[in-house]
Amino acid sequence: MAIPFSPETAIHEQHSRLRGARIVVVSLALCCLPQPAAVAGEAVDGRQLFDEACAACHGPGGQETVRGRARRLDSLSADAVRDYLMAARTIDTPARPYQRLKKGLSDAEVEALASYVGQFLTH
């Protein structure tokens, strides 16, 4: 049995379709949000993170610098790297791209980077 057409029925159907469309759009938007690098309990690969975020300026083994401006990392212990990265996260308004990168690191990422970079240490 067909429901007779009325303005109220048409409005209700339109609202139902819009509600469904909103749910789809919001769901897709949530899927596209950047995911945290380290979800609780998920291991972070310090080497991969270093290669993606640090090696361009510090070199693949931490021994190089870009135009003499990036700090050499092969003289730093894991503790020194950890302390530095943790302190860098407290900058209120990071002005430089590398400062913004450091501010956004999670505890797990700091730990992974410190462990990896600590392996560069040469005496």
Side-chain angles (χ1 to χ4, degrees):
M1 174 177 190
I3 300 174
F5 177 79
S6 70
E8 292 83 20
T9 305
I11 290 171
H12 178 71
E13 287 177 17
Q14 185 177 19
H15 283 288
S16 294
R17 276 185 259 137
L18 286 174
R19 187 177 319 116
R22 278 189 224 127
I23 291 171
V24 169
V25 169
V26 170
S27 297
L28 288 173
L30 289 174
C31 290
C32 295
L33 287 176
Q35 299 298 313
V39 178
E42 184 178 316
V44 177
D45 184 349
R47 180 181 183 157
Q48 180 181 354
L49 186 57
F50 182 86
D51 289 347
E52 292 172 359
C54 310
C57 295
H58 293 285
Q63 298 97 354
E64 301 172 21
T65 64
V66 173
R67 297 186 310 269
R69 298 177 120 178
R71 182 176 186 180
R72 287 183 60 125
L73 303 177
D74 58 347
S75 63
L76 301 175
S77 68
D79 289 336
V81 173
R82 184 181 304 102
D83 292 346
Y84 174 75
L85 291 174
M86 294 300 273
R89 294 190 325 176
T90 64
I91 298 172
D92 287 334
T93 52
R96 299 200 167 127
Y98 66 87
Q99 291 172 330
R100 287 190 290 276
L101 173 79
K102 292 171 189 170
K103 185 169 180 67
L105 294 174
S106 70
D107 289 346
E109 290 168 326
V110 167
E111 195 57 43
L113 278 172
S115 295
Y116 180 68
V117 174
Q119 296 173 24
F120 299 159
L121 182 63
T122 58
H123 293 283

